Amino acid sequence: MDLIKEYHLSGSKPLKLPVDPHMKLTHDMGPSLSQPTDYQHLVGKLIYLTITRPDIAFAVHNLSQFMQRPTSVHMQAAKRVLRYLLGSPGQGILLAARSSAHLTTYIDSDWAECPISRKSTTGFCILLADSLVPWKNKKTTGSCKIQC
C-alpha cells in the first residue's frame, strides 16, 4: 500500500489483471521518459515485491526488459501493476500450518511471443499442499525445453 501511495494511485480504479493481455511491449513504443530513474526505481521495487507476490512476476519480468530506455507506455504498464495490487492488497504467499503433504506443479510457456527477440517465456510453480514453495519465470535462451 505504501508503494501505491508513493505513486499517487490510492484513488485509482483497481484492476483484475496486472497486464493488458492484448498489448505486447516493445522498445519503441511511445516517447522516451525524461527521467528514466523514476521507472527504474518503480520496477526495482516491484522486483523486490515479487518475493511475496509471485502473481506479478510475469508482468515485472516483462517490464524489467525496458530499464535501459523506458518510455511513457512502459511507465503506464508499470502503474497498471500497481493498480492491480490496489485491488488485491491482502494477497500473497500462504504458508499453511496444517495441510496434507502433496506436491502440485504447474508449468506454462508462451511460444516465441516476445516481439523483440521471438524467444519463449517459461514459468513454473510448485505447491506443497496449499503453500507455494519455489517458482521461476524466465525467457528461454534457445529452443524451449522443459526438464523434469
Side-chain angles (χ1 to χ4, degrees), residues 12-59:
S12 298
K13 181 180 176 186
L15 297 173
K16 293 184 186 232
L17 296 172
V19 293
D20 181 354
H22 302 293
M23 179 180 277
K24 302 284 186 202
L25 295 175
T26 61
H27 289 287
D28 57 354
M29 297 178 91
S32 294
L33 293 175
S34 59
Q35 292 289 332
T37 55
D38 293 340
Y39 178 82
Q40 293 162 346
H41 287 162
L42 174 56
V43 174
K45 291 173 183 180
L46 289 172
I47 289 170
Y48 182 74
L49 190 58
T50 61
I51 294 169
T52 57
R53 293 294 301 258
D55 53 327
I56 63 169
F58 180 78

Coordinates of all heavy atoms in Angstrom, one line a residue, residues 12-59:
S12 N -7.3 5.5 -7.5 CA -7.5 4.9 -8.8 C -8.4 3.7 -8.8 O -8.6 3.0 -7.7 CB -6.1 4.4 -9.4 OG -5.3 5.5 -9.6
K13 N -8.9 3.3 -9.9 CA -9.8 2.1 -10.0 C -8.9 0.9 -10.0 O -8.0 0.8 -10.8 CB -10.6 2.2 -11.3 CG -11.5 1.0 -11.5 CD -12.3 1.2 -12.8 CE -13.1 0.0 -13.1 NZ -13.8 0.0 -14.4
P14 N -9.2 -0.1 -9.1 CA -8.4 -1.3 -9.1 C -8.6 -2.2 -10.4 O -9.7 -2.1 -11.0 CB -8.9 -2.1 -7.9 CG -9.7 -1.1 -7.1 CD -10.1 0.0 -8.1
L15 N -7.6 -2.9 -10.8 CA -7.7 -3.8 -12.0 C -7.6 -5.2 -11.6 O -7.1 -5.6 -10.6 CB -6.5 -3.4 -12.9 CG -6.5 -2.0 -13.5 CD1 -5.3 -1.8 -14.3 CD2 -7.8 -1.8 -14.4
K16 N -8.2 -6.1 -12.4 CA -8.2 -7.5 -12.1 C -7.0 -8.3 -12.7 O -6.7 -9.4 -12.3 CB -9.5 -8.1 -12.7 CG -10.7 -7.6 -12.0 CD -12.0 -8.3 -12.5 CE -13.2 -7.7 -11.8 NZ -14.1 -8.6 -11.2
L17 N -6.3 -7.7 -13.6 CA -5.1 -8.3 -14.2 C -3.9 -7.3 -14.2 O -4.1 -6.2 -14.4 CB -5.4 -8.7 -15.7 CG -6.5 -9.7 -16.0 CD1 -6.7 -9.8 -17.5 CD2 -6.1 -11.0 -15.4
P18 N -2.7 -7.9 -13.9 CA -1.6 -7.0 -13.8 C -1.1 -6.5 -15.2 O -0.3 -5.5 -15.3 CB -0.5 -7.8 -13.1 CG -0.9 -9.2 -13.3 CD -2.4 -9.2 -13.5
V19 N -1.4 -7.2 -16.3 CA -1.0 -6.8 -17.6 C -2.2 -6.8 -18.5 O -3.2 -7.5 -18.3 CB 0.1 -7.7 -18.2 CG1 1.3 -7.7 -17.5 CG2 -0.4 -9.2 -18.3
D20 N -2.1 -5.9 -19.6 CA -3.1 -5.9 -20.6 C -2.8 -7.1 -21.5 O -1.8 -7.1 -22.2 CB -3.1 -4.6 -21.4 CG -4.1 -4.5 -22.5 OD1 -4.8 -5.5 -22.7 OD2 -4.2 -3.4 -23.1
P21 N -3.7 -8.1 -21.6 CA -3.4 -9.3 -22.4 C -3.3 -9.0 -23.9 O -2.8 -9.8 -24.6 CB -4.6 -10.2 -22.1 CG -5.7 -9.4 -21.6 CD -5.0 -8.2 -21.0
H22 N -3.8 -7.9 -24.4 CA -3.7 -7.6 -25.8 C -2.5 -6.7 -26.2 O -2.4 -6.4 -27.4 CB -5.0 -6.9 -26.2 CG -6.2 -7.7 -25.9 ND1 -6.5 -8.9 -26.6 CD2 -7.2 -7.6 -25.0 CE1 -7.6 -9.4 -26.1 NE2 -8.1 -8.7 -25.2
M23 N -1.7 -6.3 -25.2 CA -0.6 -5.4 -25.5 C 0.7 -6.1 -25.4 O 1.0 -6.7 -24.3 CB -0.6 -4.2 -24.6 CG 0.6 -3.2 -24.8 SD 0.6 -1.8 -23.8 CE -0.6 -0.8 -24.7
K24 N 1.5 -6.1 -26.4 CA 2.9 -6.6 -26.4 C 3.9 -5.4 -26.4 O 3.9 -4.6 -27.3 CB 3.2 -7.4 -27.6 CG 2.2 -8.6 -27.8 CD 2.6 -9.7 -26.9 CE 1.7 -10.9 -27.2 NZ 1.5 -11.8 -26.2
L25 N 4.6 -5.3 -25.3 CA 5.5 -4.1 -25.1 C 6.8 -4.3 -26.0 O 7.3 -5.4 -26.1 CB 5.9 -4.0 -23.7 CG 4.8 -3.6 -22.7 CD1 5.4 -3.6 -21.2 CD2 4.2 -2.3 -23.0
T26 N 7.2 -3.2 -26.6 CA 8.4 -3.2 -27.4 C 9.2 -2.0 -27.0 O 8.8 -1.1 -26.3 CB 8.1 -3.2 -28.9 OG1 7.4 -2.0 -29.2 CG2 7.3 -4.4 -29.4
H27 N 10.5 -1.9 -27.5 CA 11.4 -0.8 -27.1 C 11.0 0.5 -27.7 O 11.3 1.5 -27.1 CB 12.8 -1.2 -27.5 CG 13.4 -2.2 -26.7 ND1 13.9 -2.1 -25.4 CD2 13.7 -3.5 -27.0 CE1 14.4 -3.2 -25.0 NE2 14.3 -4.1 -25.9
D28 N 10.3 0.5 -28.8 CA 10.0 1.8 -29.5 C 8.6 2.3 -29.3 O 8.1 3.1 -30.1 CB 10.3 1.6 -31.0 CG 9.5 0.5 -31.6 OD1 8.8 -0.3 -30.9 OD2 9.6 0.3 -32.9
M29 N 7.9 1.8 -28.3 CA 6.5 2.3 -28.0 C 6.5 3.6 -27.2 O 7.0 3.6 -26.1 CB 5.7 1.2 -27.2 CG 5.6 -0.1 -27.9 SD 4.7 -1.3 -26.9 CE 3.0 -1.0 -27.4
G30 N 6.0 4.6 -27.8 CA 5.8 5.9 -27.1 C 7.1 6.7 -27.0 O 8.2 6.2 -27.2
P31 N 7.0 7.9 -26.5 CA 8.2 8.8 -26.3 C 9.0 8.3 -25.0 O 8.4 7.8 -24.1 CB 7.6 10.1 -26.0 CG 6.2 9.9 -25.5 CD 5.7 8.6 -26.1
S32 N 10.3 8.5 -25.1 CA 11.2 8.1 -24.0 C 10.9 9.0 -22.8 O 10.5 10.2 -23.0 CB 12.7 8.3 -24.4 OG 13.0 7.4 -25.4
L33 N 11.1 8.5 -21.6 CA 10.9 9.3 -20.4 C 12.1 10.2 -20.2 O 13.2 9.9 -20.4 CB 10.8 8.3 -19.2 CG 9.5 7.4 -19.1 CD1 9.7 6.5 -17.9 CD2 8.3 8.3 -19.1
S34 N 11.8 11.4 -19.8 CA 12.8 12.4 -19.5 C 13.6 12.0 -18.2 O 14.8 12.3 -18.1 CB 12.2 13.8 -19.4 OG 11.3 13.9 -18.3
Q35 N 12.9 11.4 -17.3 CA 13.6 10.9 -16.1 C 13.4 9.4 -16.0 O 12.5 8.8 -15.3 CB 12.9 11.5 -14.8 CG 13.1 13.0 -14.7 CD 14.6 13.3 -14.3 OE1 15.2 12.5 -13.7 NE2 15.0 14.5 -14.7
P36 N 14.3 8.6 -16.6 CA 14.2 7.1 -16.6 C 14.4 6.5 -15.2 O 13.9 5.4 -14.9 CB 15.3 6.6 -17.6 CG 16.2 7.8 -17.7 CD 15.5 9.0 -17.4
T37 N 15.0 7.3 -14.3 CA 15.2 6.8 -12.9 C 13.9 6.5 -12.2 O 13.8 5.6 -11.4 CB 16.1 7.7 -12.1 OG1 15.5 9.0 -12.1 CG2 17.5 7.7 -12.7
D38 N 12.8 7.3 -12.5 CA 11.5 7.0 -11.9 C 11.0 5.6 -12.2 O 10.5 4.9 -11.4 CB 10.5 8.1 -12.3 CG 10.8 9.5 -11.8 OD1 11.6 9.6 -10.8 OD2 10.3 10.5 -12.4
Y39 N 11.1 5.3 -13.5 CA 10.7 4.0 -14.0 C 11.6 2.9 -13.4 O 11.1 1.9 -12.9 CB 10.8 3.9 -15.5 CG 10.4 2.6 -16.1 CD1 9.1 2.2 -16.3 CD2 11.4 1.7 -16.4 CE1 8.7 1.0 -16.8 CE2 11.1 0.4 -17.0 CZ 9.7 0.1 -17.1 OH 9.4 -1.1 -17.7
Q40 N 12.9 3.1 -13.4 CA 13.8 2.1 -12.8 C 13.6 1.9 -11.4 O 13.7 0.7 -10.9 CB 15.3 2.6 -13.1 CG 15.6 2.7 -14.6 CD 16.8 3.5 -14.9 OE1 17.3 4.3 -14.1 NE2 17.3 3.4 -16.1
H41 N 13.3 2.9 -10.6 CA 13.0 2.8 -9.2 C 11.8 2.0 -9.0 O 11.7 1.1 -8.1 CB 13.0 4.1 -8.5 CG 14.3 4.8 -8.3 ND1 14.4 6.1 -8.0 CD2 15.6 4.3 -8.4 CE1 15.7 6.4 -7.9 NE2 16.4 5.3 -8.1
L42 N 10.7 2.3 -9.7 CA 9.4 1.6 -9.6 C 9.6 0.1 -9.9 O 9.1 -0.7 -9.2 CB 8.4 2.2 -10.5 CG 7.0 1.5 -10.5 CD1 6.4 1.3 -9.2 CD2 6.1 2.3 -11.4
V43 N 10.2 -0.2 -11.0 CA 10.4 -1.6 -11.4 C 11.3 -2.3 -10.4 O 11.0 -3.5 -10.1 CB 10.9 -1.7 -12.9 CG1 11.3 -3.2 -13.2 CG2 9.9 -1.2 -13.8
G44 N 12.3 -1.7 -9.9 CA 13.1 -2.3 -8.9 C 12.4 -2.6 -7.6 O 12.5 -3.7 -7.0
K45 N 11.4 -1.7 -7.2 CA 10.6 -2.0 -6.1 C 9.6 -3.2 -6.4 O 9.3 -4.0 -5.5 CB 9.8 -0.8 -5.7 CG 10.8 0.3 -5.1 CD 10.0 1.6 -4.8 CE 11.0 2.6 -4.3 NZ 10.4 3.9 -4.0
L46 N 9.1 -3.2 -7.6 CA 8.2 -4.3 -8.0 C 9.0 -5.6 -8.0 O 8.4 -6.7 -7.7 CB 7.6 -4.0 -9.3 CG 6.5 -2.9 -9.4 CD1 6.1 -2.6 -10.8 CD2 5.3 -3.3 -8.5
I47 N 10.2 -5.6 -8.4 CA 11.0 -6.9 -8.4 C 11.2 -7.4 -7.0 O 11.0 -8.5 -6.7 CB 12.4 -6.6 -9.1 CG1 12.3 -6.4 -10.6 CG2 13.4 -7.8 -8.8 CD1 13.6 -5.9 -11.2
Y48 N 11.4 -6.5 -6.1 CA 11.5 -6.9 -4.7 C 10.2 -7.4 -4.2 O 10.1 -8.4 -3.4 CB 12.0 -5.7 -3.8 CG 12.1 -6.0 -2.4 CD1 13.2 -6.7 -1.9 CD2 11.2 -5.6 -1.4 CE1 13.4 -7.0 -0.6 CE2 11.4 -5.8 -0.1 CZ 12.5 -6.6 0.3 OH 12.6 -6.9 1.6
L49 N 9.1 -6.8 -4.6 CA 7.8 -7.3 -4.2 C 7.4 -8.6 -4.7 O 6.6 -9.4 -4.1 CB 6.7 -6.2 -4.7 CG 5.3 -6.3 -4.1 CD1 5.3 -6.3 -2.6 CD2 4.5 -5.2 -4.7
T50 N 8.0 -9.1 -5.8 CA 7.7 -10.4 -6.3 C 8.1 -11.5 -5.4 O 7.7 -12.7 -5.6 CB 8.3 -10.7 -7.7 OG1 9.7 -10.6 -7.6 CG2 7.8 -9.7 -8.8
I51 N 8.9 -11.2 -4.4 CA 9.3 -12.3 -3.4 C 8.1 -12.8 -2.7 O 8.0 -14.0 -2.5 CB 10.3 -11.7 -2.4 CG1 11.6 -11.4 -3.1 CG2 10.6 -12.7 -1.3 CD1 12.6 -10.5 -2.3
T52 N 7.2 -11.9 -2.4 CA 5.9 -12.3 -1.7 C 4.7 -12.3 -2.6 O 3.6 -12.7 -2.2 CB 5.7 -11.5 -0.5 OG1 5.6 -10.1 -0.9 CG2 6.8 -11.6 0.6
R53 N 4.8 -11.7 -3.8 CA 3.7 -11.7 -4.7 C 4.1 -12.3 -6.1 O 4.3 -11.6 -7.1 CB 3.3 -10.2 -4.9 CG 2.7 -9.5 -3.7 CD 1.4 -10.1 -3.3 NE 0.4 -10.0 -4.3 CZ -0.6 -9.1 -4.4 NH1 -0.8 -8.2 -3.4 NH2 -1.5 -9.2 -5.4
P54 N 4.1 -13.6 -6.2 CA 4.5 -14.2 -7.4 C 3.5 -14.0 -8.5 O 3.8 -14.2 -9.7 CB 4.6 -15.7 -7.1 CG 3.9 -15.9 -5.8 CD 3.9 -14.6 -5.1
D55 N 2.3 -13.5 -8.2 CA 1.3 -13.3 -9.2 C 1.7 -12.1 -10.1 O 1.1 -12.0 -11.2 CB -0.1 -13.0 -8.5 CG -0.1 -12.0 -7.5 OD1 1.0 -11.8 -6.8 OD2 -1.1 -11.3 -7.3
I56 N 2.6 -11.3 -9.7 CA 3.0 -10.2 -10.6 C 4.4 -10.5 -11.3 O 4.9 -9.6 -12.0 CB 3.1 -8.9 -9.8 CG1 4.1 -8.9 -8.7 CG2 1.7 -8.5 -9.3 CD1 4.4 -7.5 -8.1
A57 N 5.0 -11.7 -11.0 CA 6.3 -12.0 -11.5 C 6.4 -11.9 -13.1 O 7.4 -11.3 -13.6 CB 6.7 -13.4 -11.1
F58 N 5.4 -12.4 -13.8 CA 5.5 -12.3 -15.2 C 5.4 -10.9 -15.7 O 6.2 -10.5 -16.6 CB 4.3 -13.1 -15.8 CG 4.3 -13.1 -17.3 CD1 5.1 -13.9 -18.1 CD2 3.4 -12.3 -18.0 CE1 5.1 -13.9 -19.5 CE2 3.4 -12.2 -19.4 CZ 4.3 -13.1 -20.1
A59 N 4.5 -10.1 -15.2 CA 4.4 -8.7 -15.6 C 5.7 -7.9 -15.3 O 6.2 -7.1 -16.1 CB 3.2 -8.0 -14.9

